[in-house]
Amino acid sequence: MEEPPLPPDPDRVAWPLWIAPAGVVLGFVLASFGTLIVDGIAHAGGASLTSPGPAANIIADIVFDLCFVGAGLLLTSWRGRPRAADFGYRRVRPATAVAAFCLGAVGYYGLTALYSALIHTRQSDKLPSDLGITHSTAALIAAAVFVCAIAPMAEEFFFRGFLFGTLRNIPLRVAGRDGGPWLAAVITGLLFGGAHLGSAPAVYLIPLAFLGFVLCLMRWRTHSLYPCMALHSANNALALGVNQLAWNAPEILGLTLASWLVIAVVTGPLGARSPALA
């Protein structure tokens, strides 16, 4: 007996599945090429190839992330101009956003606490130190803007907006229900964790993969990228403030709120005209 069709989903995109792996490959190629250009320019200016300096590292990291954004936009434009709502830039009701944020944070930090109790390590993320956060106030500000605002915007666009948005169309039925989003969340989470291999110790990749999985579920259930960017930004601000700067709670809260303001100014207009679906 044939299973009944799934109910229509206004948040589902019509992009073919092949653009997901193509986006990963194209993004990596563009990002690698862009990073080489930045390093080459820095070297021409007198910087070392092995240690180009904080300014070059920050610019290279921004270029790296933006190349993945460009790859996603390029591939989704082949059949016409995509809408901002297709990537999750959609208004969300405040109560829904707050609930998703809190549930996502409790789930992620709960598992992270359990994982940390089992795996004892004192290793830390080397990215902030590579960005020179202790070298000068200017480097600290630039690194904070990148880590807490630019990276969450770019990574949420690519992983939750483009990659998960495409892979959730995988035709999978489980007990009569659509299993595509769950499989897409697992795949996207693993790729998200793997993407941090160069900056985070290997022992932290499992919690990061779970964070990527949780963010996918938030994107799916709220139909919006905004709660995902908020949690991603808050997590980065917390990690930066606690692990690298030894800041107190008000300072970390200030960094988080400032980062949210930047994200709202940059991405808020993209979802202003899209109706809330949750």
Side-chain angles (χ1 to χ4, degrees):
M1 181 177 178
E2 185 177 353
E3 293 184 334
L6 294 170
D9 185 347
D11 194 37
R12 191 181 295 274
V13 297
W15 307 325
L17 287 174
W18 64 264
I19 72 170
V24 173
V25 174
L26 179 61
F28 184 77
V29 170
L30 293 176
S32 299
F33 184 66
T35 301
L36 287 175
I37 292 177
V38 174
D39 290 344
I41 294 174
H43 180 62
S48 168
L49 284 177
T50 57
S51 182
N57 285 335
I58 291 173
I59 295 172
D61 286 333
I62 293 174
V63 168
F64 190 90
D65 281 2
L66 292 182
C67 283
F68 278 91
V69 172
L73 287 173
L74 180 64
L75 289 171
T76 54
S77 300
W78 75 287
R79 296 177 65 179
R81 184 178 179 181
R83 303 173 304 159
D86 293 336
F87 299 102
Y89 295 110
R90 186 184 297 277
R91 290 188 296 109
V92 59
R93 295 184 180 91
T96 301
V98 172
F101 180 94
C102 293
L103 289 174
V106 169
Y108 169 62
Y109 289 114
L111 180 72
T112 300
L114 177 61
Y115 181 79
S116 299
L118 297 175
I119 306 295
H120 301 283
T121 179
R122 293 186 177 181
Q123 298 183 76
S124 61
D125 191 338
K126 70 176 184 178
L127 177 60
S129 59
D130 289 343
L131 301 182
I133 61 171
T134 60
H135 291 183
S136 68
T137 301
L140 172 59
I141 293 174
V145 171
F146 169 70
V147 171
C148 302
I150 296 176
M153 285 189 287
E155 292 176 10
E156 289 310 307
F157 170 87
F158 183 78
F159 285 101
R160 258 60 63 180
F162 166 72
L163 200 58
F164 173 75
T166 303
L167 292 176
R168 63 171 297 186
N169 289 324
I170 294 175
L172 176 65
R173 301 289 290 270
V174 179
R177 296 180 179 273
D178 184 12
W182 291 98
L183 179 57
V186 171
I187 296 173
T188 304
L190 291 173
L191 290 173
F192 179 74
H196 293 81
L197 182 60
S199 62
V203 71
Y204 290 149
L205 298 186
I206 293 178
L208 285 171
F210 183 68
L211 174 61
F213 174 79
V214 168
L215 291 170
C216 287
L217 297 186
M218 292 171 60
R219 161 75 173 89
W220 176 31
R221 292 305 189 183
T222 64
H223 306 286
S224 176
L225 213 57
Y226 292 112
C228 305
M229 289 187 288
L231 180 56
H232 192 156
S233 174
N235 177 70
N236 286 9
L238 183 63
L240 180 64
V242 173
N243 297 334
Q244 300 291 331
L245 301 172
W247 280 2
N248 57 37
E251 290 172 324
I252 296 172
L253 178 60
L255 175 60
T256 301
L257 294 178
S259 302
W260 286 354
L261 179 60
V262 173
I263 292 172
V265 169
V266 175
T267 67
L270 296 174
R273 297 184 180 181
S274 300
L277 296 180

